[in-house]
Amino acid sequence: MSVLKPLRVAVVSDNDPSNLFEPEGFSRLLREFALCGHHLDIYSSNPGQPSRTKFPSVWQFSKWRRSARPDVVHLSSSGPLGWAALTAARGLSIPVTSMFQGISAPSFRGGQSGWRTAAIDFSIRAFHNRVDLTIVRSSVLKHELSNRGFFRLRVLERGIDTALFNPQNRCESLRSQWQATPESIVFLCPARFVESGNGLNVIGAFEALRDRSPRARLVLIGNLADKGGLKPLPRNITLAGEQEGLSLARHYASADVFLFPDCS
């Protein structure tokens, strides 16, 4: 039986790569790579938290020819850093994968047209068609992108640790901390969504619902970079802060409804 050798994998992102996953998911990615003996290099132009993150210029990837050459390059964004890594990897014949971010093709919706939209369309498609494999999140998206001229697509759906994120972790004492009664409906939403363009939708929708159901509660998981935007917090809203592991699982299990704001 042959045994796969440990791999050096380069993950390249124009953004903070930890934003591509839930906090626990990103920690698990690093942990699983280490357990399998693989080495993970993360290249990002955005100062993130992981200690393995490097902040390169677009020229740094040329050093792969001399040292720290990866076995595989994974591109999580199609910005300048992603293009630079793609060009370097192609020049060194290093296999390249990419992740198509989003739940649908961005410039193909809503009847948008014009030269600017066409240019974005062409750039995104050209980027992904130069890699060996592009990962998408659903078969519907794969079909949509295939019709738009994208090649070599593979569906990889999101997974969940069902042993950890389990209804048995529901905690009544935690609900009491949220001032939720047995009759209360507790809504849960990651705080980072509140600071996105859909933030007002989250708060506005909850306040409208609270007017009809005064016992309803909203719990925000994570921290807000701009707390002043919600200070003081509207009535019946709790900012739970950063949670990990079993504590995070208990928060999810103790809520009744998960809010996922999206206008796309």
Side-chain angles (χ1 to χ4, degrees):
M1 174 184 287
S2 61
V3 179
L4 293 177
K5 70 171 185 176
L7 298 175
R8 177 181 286 270
V9 180
V11 176
V12 182
S13 174
D14 287 86
N15 306 303
D16 180 354
S18 64
N19 288 337
L20 304 176
F21 309 87
E22 292 296 329
E24 177 65 18
F26 189 70
S27 298
R28 181 176 296 273
L29 174 69
L30 298 179
R31 186 164 61 249
E32 292 297 329
F33 261 77
L35 288 175
C36 293
H38 302 310
H39 184 87
L40 188 64
D41 288 324
I42 303 173
Y43 297 85
S44 172
S45 57
N46 188 317
Q49 297 299 321
S51 59
R52 292 182 179 86
T53 302
K54 302 177 180 180
F55 311 109
S57 69
V58 295
W59 307 111
Q60 184 169 340
F61 300 116
S62 62
K63 296 180 180 179
W64 285 345
R65 187 180 302 274
R66 301 186 298 275
S67 63
R69 176 190 173 108
D71 297 295
V72 180
V73 175
H74 178 70
L75 309 174
S76 63
S77 62
S78 56
L81 207 59
W83 273 104
L86 174 58
T87 301
R90 277 284 165 254
L92 296 171
S93 299
I94 300 173
V96 184
T97 63
S98 67
M99 171 72 76
F100 187 90
Q101 299 296 337
I103 59 175
S104 55
S107 62
F108 310 141
R109 302 194 316 263
Q112 300 181 40
S113 60
W115 68 267
R116 185 170 300 176
T117 298
I120 295 173
D121 177 351
F122 178 83
S123 176
I124 294 174
R125 183 170 53 235
F127 177 84
H128 288 285
N129 281 348
R130 288 191 64 193
V131 308
D132 298 289
L133 179 72
T134 294
I135 299 170
V136 297
R137 288 305 190 185
S138 70
S139 56
V140 173
L141 178 56
K142 178 182 178 182
H143 178 72
E144 180 182 1
L145 293 176
S146 294
N147 289 339
R148 297 291 180 176
F150 286 72
F151 308 134
R152 297 180 292 280
L153 305 173
R154 181 71 60 85
V155 176
L156 179 63
E157 297 181 348
R158 296 183 185 274
I160 186 170
D161 185 342
T162 55
L164 180 62
F165 290 90
N166 190 298
Q168 293 182 356
N169 285 323
R170 190 176 180 88
C171 180
E172 293 302 326
S173 62
L174 182 58
R175 288 175 62 90
S176 297
Q177 293 177 28
W178 302 335
Q179 299 181 348
T181 67
E183 296 76 23
S184 298
I185 298 178
V186 177
F187 296 82
L188 183 143
C189 179
R192 59 191 175 90
F193 289 157
V194 175
E195 294 186 308
S196 69
N198 296 317
L200 294 179
N201 295 336
V202 175
I203 303 302
F206 174 74
E207 290 183 326
L209 184 146
R210 186 193 59 202
D211 291 340
R212 301 180 62 178
S213 181
R215 295 179 179 177
R217 297 290 187 272
L218 172 62
V219 177
L220 302 176
I221 298 291
N223 293 318
L224 294 171
D226 180 19
K227 294 183 180 179
L230 283 177
K231 189 179 287 186
L233 286 174
R235 182 167 53 90
N236 293 14
I237 296 180
T238 299
L239 182 61
E242 296 291 346
Q243 304 293 330
E244 295 184 357
L246 181 58
S247 177
L248 179 64
R250 284 175 175 164
H251 278 71
Y252 273 85
S254 301
D256 301 300
V257 180
F258 178 76
L259 292 182
F260 186 87
D262 185 16
C263 293
S264 62

